[in-house]
Amino acid sequence: MDRRETMRVSILLKDFSKAFDRMQHDRLMRKMIDLECNSTDIAISRSFLTNRTQQVIVNGQRSEVENFDVGVAQGTLSGPIFWLIFANDLQPPIPTVKYPDDTTSYDVVTSGNITTMHHTSATAIDVSLGKDRIQSALTYSHQWLKNNGMSLNVKKTATLHLSVRKSIQIRNRVSIGDESVQTTRTAKFLGLTIDSHLTFKDHVEERVQKGRHAAYTLKTETRWCTADCASPSLLHSHTNNCFIRSPCLVHYDKELIAK
């Protein structure tokens, strides 16, 4: 984020309700055809997805066997690929990052296109920062989901406004119909906890806490394996993540690393 030009980045974190479970097989096949996928790949995918059945056993009682023509088995290697194909035509009017579990749009506002609404104090400014673009992205995504037999979980969808300038106070809200989307101070994206002023304090503190638990486990449970064997998975996975991703090392417990 360029401090000289960028005033803020607004992030729209969308939660699609049961996205994997609601992918329609026929619609997925049509999208693969539209993308000119190899005919053999399409045939294999169709064979993999169709003619699946499911049955539930509760207290020894079996339900009837049901066929289903929607959903992709989670935990498979092909599941995330199917989702990326299915969501390929999801193209909101602002930049969007699409992962199987995280579909996130963002909008950058620079000092050249900021609109000042009014002063709230000598140092704080209440501003309108690209609300229409975020709202348009939300409305577009909501309609795309409806067109594809899915739905948006508004209660779990959120906006996060990033700014290195603490004087900027952003109070814009977006909504779907009469239901407002929450604005959050922190959000987790691909394992990284981001806060609105990019201090990364929450991320580092979370890693420190997990590292302490891991260190305690190493100290008390080494009878099952040596510390050299267990530390890469129990401890280093947290400490390395903290050092690589966070510039705020002042918050990190250095004694933990030494131990």
Side-chain angles (χ1 to χ4, degrees), residues 29-224:
M29 294 301 106
R30 290 197 297 270
K31 292 189 177 190
M32 293 183 71
I33 293 172
D34 292 340
L35 289 173
E36 299 182 354
C37 293
N38 183 283
S39 59
T40 301
D41 293 336
I42 295 175
I44 293 174
S45 298
R46 187 186 300 275
S47 176
F48 176 76
L49 292 172
T50 57
N51 298 320
R52 286 180 173 268
T53 61
Q54 61 182 2
Q55 187 179 51
V56 178
I57 302 176
V58 179
N59 296 328
Q61 299 295 317
R62 295 175 180 268
S63 69
E64 295 182 0
V65 177
E66 296 285 345
N67 295 311
F68 59 98
D69 57 3
V70 296
V72 173
Q74 297 191 39
T76 62
L77 294 176
S78 57
I81 298 175
F82 286 144
W83 167 248
L84 292 177
I85 293 173
F86 195 87
N88 180 69
D89 59 348
L90 173 62
Q91 301 291 341
I94 57 178
T96 299
V97 180
K98 289 181 279 190
Y99 287 91
D101 294 328
D102 295 282
T103 300
T104 302
S105 300
Y106 63 93
D107 180 50
V108 179
V109 169
T110 64
S111 56
N113 58 11
I114 187 172
T115 302
T116 302
M117 298 300 291
H118 61 273
H119 289 276
T120 58
S121 70
T123 58
I125 304 175
D126 187 15
V127 294
S128 175
L129 298 172
K131 175 183 176 182
D132 291 343
R133 292 193 291 271
I134 292 293
Q135 180 64 63
S136 296
L138 179 62
T139 302
Y140 171 91
S141 300
H142 177 62
Q143 188 60 49
W144 182 90
L145 288 167
K146 289 179 63 177
N147 294 342
N148 285 273
M150 298 182 175
S151 63
L152 182 73
N153 189 337
V154 181
K155 292 184 178 179
K156 290 187 177 180
T157 296
T159 56
L160 171 65
H161 303 293
L162 307 180
S163 176
V164 294
R165 302 186 184 185
K166 295 185 179 181
S167 61
I168 299 297
Q169 298 179 1
I170 304 168
R171 298 186 176 92
N172 289 333
R173 286 190 175 275
V174 295
S175 61
I176 290 294
D178 296 332
E179 195 168 1
S180 296
V181 171
Q182 64 175 318
T183 298
T184 183
R185 188 189 69 82
T186 64
K188 182 165 288 189
F189 180 68
L190 299 180
L192 176 65
T193 301
I194 307 172
D195 62 276
S196 57
H197 292 303
L198 297 177
T199 65
F200 293 97
K201 181 178 179 181
D202 296 271
H203 177 72
V204 175
E205 288 181 348
E206 177 189 354
R207 292 296 165 180
V208 168
Q209 189 63 29
K210 289 185 176 181
R212 285 175 176 153
H213 285 306
Y216 177 79
T217 301
L218 284 173
K219 181 179 179 180
T220 59
E221 303 295 336
T222 51
R223 65 181 183 275
W224 300 108

